Amino acid sequence: MNLRTSALTLLAAGLLLSAAPAAASSSDLQFMLSARHLEWNAEVRSRLESAAGSKQALVDQLIEFSRSDDVPSPVAMRSAHILANEYVDDPEVGGQVLRAMEEDIADPNKEGLARLYASKVERITDRTAKRAVAAAVADRGAVSTSFKPYAERLLNSNDSNVRSVVAKRLN
Amino acid sequence: MVDSGVQVDPSIVAILGLSGTFDFFLSDLEVNVSNTDSYQVVLTRDNSPLVTLVVTSPGGSEVISSASDGTPPATGGVLIDFHVNPLTNPPSNFFPSIVSGTYNHLVSILANPGGPFPFDGSVIAKNDSNLSSGRLLLNVYLVGDFAQNNFTAINTALNVMAGIYTQRGITVTTQVFNVPSGSGAIPDPAQGDTFYLNNLSGDFAVHVFMGERIDAADNNGLLLGRSGGAPGAQVPTIKSIVGIDLGNHAGANGIFNGNEPTILGGTVAHEVGHFLGLFHPVEISVIGATLADTTFTLGDTLTDTQSCSLGSQCIANGAVNNLMFPLSDPSFMQQNLSVQQGQVMNLQPVID
C-alpha cells in the first residue's frame, strides 16, 4: 500500500470577523448581510452589534431592513431571520422585536415575512413571545386563504400551548 | 496493494458502478482509463468522513494532493466530507491532461480503525476534448406549492442563469419537475438527504431543488442557496444537488417582483458554478464596514480570475463583477465568467 503522510486540508469557509469599526451606517450593515454564504455564530452577532453601535441600534436597523423595499430581498429576509432567531427572546429588546413581528404577520402586504415568522414559532424559547407569535399567525390564517396552510402547520406543534392557541383562533 | 479497480473506456460519457471493501482506513483505488479527457470518482459511505488524499498518474507522478493543493484547493475532493467524496480529474487546465493508464487514488475513510470498510460509488469518464463549449442539462425540482406557484419568476431566473453560462459556450437546457411537499422546505444540501435521492430523475444532469426554505441547522434560515459539493457528485447520491431558498429571494411581500428574479438567477448560477467545480476567486478575510474596506485572501487557483486583497481593488479591477465573487451586490452585474472558469466547468463529465 502506498502510504503517505498528507495533511488533511479543511476549508475554513465563512467570515472571519475582527477589527470591528466603531460604528457603521445602514448601508454598511446592508453590505455585511450580503455575503453569498453568510455564516452565523456568536462572533458574527457581536460584530453586527458593534458595527451598528449597540444591540438596540442593530435591532432598529434590522427591523427597518426587513420592511424596506430599498434593500435587496435577501438582505431584508436575512434581517427578519436574525430578528426571530436571535432577538425575540432577548430580555432587553425582545418586546420591540415581538411587536414588529406581530405587526408584520398581520400586514396583508408582508406575507413573505408572515410565512418566515410562522416558521420560527417552534424555536422561540420565551413562552410569552412564542404564544403571541403563534396567536398572530393563527389570526392571519383565519382570514387569509393563502396563509392558512402556514398556520395549520402549527396544529402539529410539539408545544401544547401553541396547538391550543392556534386551534382556538384558527377555527 | 490494490483494493479495487475499474476499467473505463467511454465513447462520450461512461458511468461505471463501483463497490468494494477497503481493509484499512487508508486505501488505494485504481482507475484505469483510456480515451478519456476527464473523469470523476464518486465514493460514498454512509455516515463516514471521506477524503481523497493523493491522486497519482500512470507515470507515478503526484497530480492532485490535499497537502499541496492550497486553501481553498482546486477541488473539494481533497477536503474531508461526509457520506460522499467526489473528485474530478483534472480539476482545471493547470493540472496534467489525462493519459491512458492507471490512476491511483489514495482514499481515506475516517472511521473506527480496523475495518473492513465497505464502500460504493461510481466513476464517470468523459471523452470530449472541447473545453470551450458544451451542453448542460439542468433539472429543476419545484418543491411544494410556493415554488410551483412562482414558476414564472423562476423561469425568468433560469433564463438569467442560462444567459450567464452562454458566455462560456455552455448551452443550458432545463427540465422542470414538481415535487409535492407539505412545508415546502428542503434539507441542507451540504448534509445531504435521502429526500433528494428519492426524487432525483434518472437523467445525467445537474439537479437543482428549489423550496420556500432550506432547513440548515448551521445557518438558521440565512442561506440563499447551497451546493452539495464543489464539484458536486455527478451520479445520484444524497448530496448530488444544488438547493435554492426561494423565500429569501421573494422578499417581505412574498411575491417575486422588481429585480428579485434576476437576483435569484444569479444565485442559481453561482451555486451551480460551485457544483461544476468553481470556487470563489477571492475569499473574505475580514469584512469591513464597506466593500471598499473589506479585505480578501486568495481564492481559486485560476490565473484569469481577478484577485484583490482590498475591496477597493476588487471594484477597480472588476473582480466584484465575477459570478463567483463571495459577496452578492445587485449594484454590480456579477455575471462574468472567465475563460478558465469555463474550462473548469467544461471538464465536468456532466457537461458534454
Side-chain angles (χ1 to χ4, degrees):
Chain A
M1 181 174 292
N2 182 20
L3 289 176
R4 298 164 193 260
T5 51
S6 297
L8 303 180
T9 307
L10 280 171
L11 175 63
L15 306 180
L16 302 177
L17 303 166
S18 62
S25 71
S26 62
S27 62
D28 302 333
L29 285 168
Q30 178 181 325
F31 165 72
M32 296 169 74
L33 295 170
S34 298
R36 286 275 186 197
H37 310 283
L38 178 62
E39 306 292 330
W40 187 262
N41 53 45
E43 199 176 359
V44 175
R45 173 177 163 147
S46 173
R47 168 81 167 144
L48 286 173
E49 290 178 359
S50 296
S54 67
K55 183 197 298 182
Q56 180 64 59
L58 175 62
V59 165
D60 291 343
Q61 193 62 70
L62 292 175
I63 291 173
E64 184 179 327
F65 281 164
S66 68
R67 294 169 163 176
S68 173
D69 294 329
D70 297 327
V71 300
S73 49
V75 172
M77 300 305 276
R78 279 173 163 174
S79 297
H81 279 294
I82 294 168
L83 287 168
N85 292 342
E86 299 290 320
Y87 293 108
V88 72
D89 292 316
D90 188 287
E92 296 170 34
V93 297
Q96 179 191 4
V97 173
L98 178 59
R99 283 191 298 279
M101 289 173 68
E102 289 177 307
E103 290 170 10
D104 291 337
I105 292 169
D107 188 334
N109 296 316
K110 297 215 166 28
E111 183 151 327
L113 286 181
R115 291 192 208 118
L116 186 159
Y117 291 142
S119 75
K120 299 292 185 182
V121 170
E122 297 291 354
R123 63 172 296 135
I124 298 173
T125 55
D126 181 277
R127 291 182 61 188
T128 303
K130 189 172 193 170
R131 183 182 174 87
V133 174
V137 168
D139 288 347
R140 182 171 186 136
V143 298
S144 167
T145 306
S146 63
F147 189 73
K148 190 172 184 180
Y150 296 86
E152 286 177 333
R153 282 174 207 150
L154 296 181
L155 294 171
N156 298 316
S157 169
N158 294 325
D159 186 324
S160 60
N161 289 324
V162 169
R163 292 198 304 271
S164 172
V165 72
V166 171
K168 198 175 296 181
R169 289 168 178 261
L170 199 54
N171 297 318
Chain B
M1 188 176 81
V2 176
D3 296 283
S4 182
V6 294
Q7 179 69 44
V8 181
D9 187 358
S11 54
I12 298 176
V13 173
I15 303 175
L16 279 83
L18 189 63
S19 66
T21 301
F22 291 150
D23 59 5
F24 194 63
F25 77 102
L26 275 173
S27 289
D28 290 312
L29 174 70
E30 288 191 340
V31 180
N32 306 311
V33 297
S34 58
N35 297 327
T36 296
D37 292 296
S38 65
Y39 68 88
Q40 183 181 62
V41 171
V42 180
L43 285 181
T44 61
R45 190 170 191 273
D46 287 348
N47 301 314
S48 288
L50 301 165
V51 64
T52 300
L53 299 173
V54 180
V55 178
T56 308
S57 72
S61 301
E62 186 175 293
V63 290
I64 302 172
S65 163
S66 63
S68 61
D69 204 13
T71 303
T75 172
V78 297
L79 302 174
I80 299 172
D81 209 341
F82 284 89
H83 309 290
V84 182
N85 178 241
L87 185 145
T88 300
N89 185 21
S92 76
N93 271 9
F94 293 100
F95 289 76
S97 299
I98 301 298
V99 296
S100 295
T102 301
Y103 283 81
N104 189 81
H105 289 229
L106 178 64
V107 177
S108 180
I109 295 176
L110 304 171
N112 293 330
F117 303 107
F119 64 92
D120 293 303
S122 298
V123 177
I124 316 128
K126 177 165 103 162
N127 179 358
D128 176 8
S129 59
N130 181 0
L131 298 181
S132 61
S133 67
R135 295 174 298 176
L136 170 63
L137 177 60
L138 195 74
N139 278 355
V140 177
Y141 303 80
L142 306 181
V143 181
D145 291 344
F146 183 79
Q148 291 159 27
N149 292 339
N150 283 285
F151 175 73
T152 301
I154 290 167
N155 196 42
T156 300
L158 294 174
N159 287 333
V160 170
M161 181 265 182
I164 293 171
Y165 279 54
T166 297
Q167 70 184 292
R168 288 296 151 229
I170 297 172
T171 304
V172 179
T173 302
T174 303
Q175 298 185 124
V176 177
F177 302 85
N178 289 335
V179 178
S181 166
S183 69
I186 58 176
D188 183 357
Q191 296 298 313
D193 199 284
T194 53
F195 166 80
Y196 293 126
L197 193 55
N198 293 339
N199 283 288
L200 286 178
S201 77
D203 298 316
F204 191 44
V206 172
H207 304 279
V208 178
F209 281 71
M210 297 186 172
E212 186 168 5
R213 297 192 315 278
I214 297 175
D215 283 337
D218 67 339
N219 217 265
N220 299 330
L222 300 175
L223 286 178
L224 304 181
R226 191 173 248 182
S227 170
Q234 292 159 32
V235 290
T237 73
I238 61 170
K239 299 168 78 169
S240 301
I241 66 108
V242 169
I244 300 294
D245 186 311
L246 294 173
N248 283 346
H249 289 86
N253 64 5
I255 301 167
F256 280 97
N257 47 25
N259 66 351
E260 289 164 354
T262 302
I263 295 173
L264 175 63
T267 300
V268 176
H270 181 98
E271 296 305 325
V272 172
H274 283 313
F275 194 90
L276 295 174
L278 297 183
F279 286 82
H280 299 152
V282 291
E283 295 291 349
I284 298 168
S285 176
V286 179
I287 195 162
T290 66
L291 173 56
D293 295 334
T294 295
T295 59
F296 296 87
T297 57
L298 284 176
D300 66 32
T301 54
L302 307 179
T303 58
D304 69 347
T305 51
Q306 299 293 334
S307 188
C308 47
S309 56
L310 192 61
S312 54
Q313 294 174 331
C314 306
I315 297 169
N317 69 10
V320 72
N321 291 316
N322 192 280
L323 174 68
M324 302 309 292
F325 194 73
L327 283 155
S328 171
D329 188 335
S331 59
F332 299 98
M333 283 301 289
Q334 300 195 300
Q335 295 189 349
N336 290 349
L337 282 169
S338 75
V339 171
Q340 290 172 16
Q341 284 176 313
Q343 291 168 345
V344 168
M345 294 195 291
N346 269 303
L347 279 165
Q348 303 303 321
V350 76
I351 294 185
D352 69 8

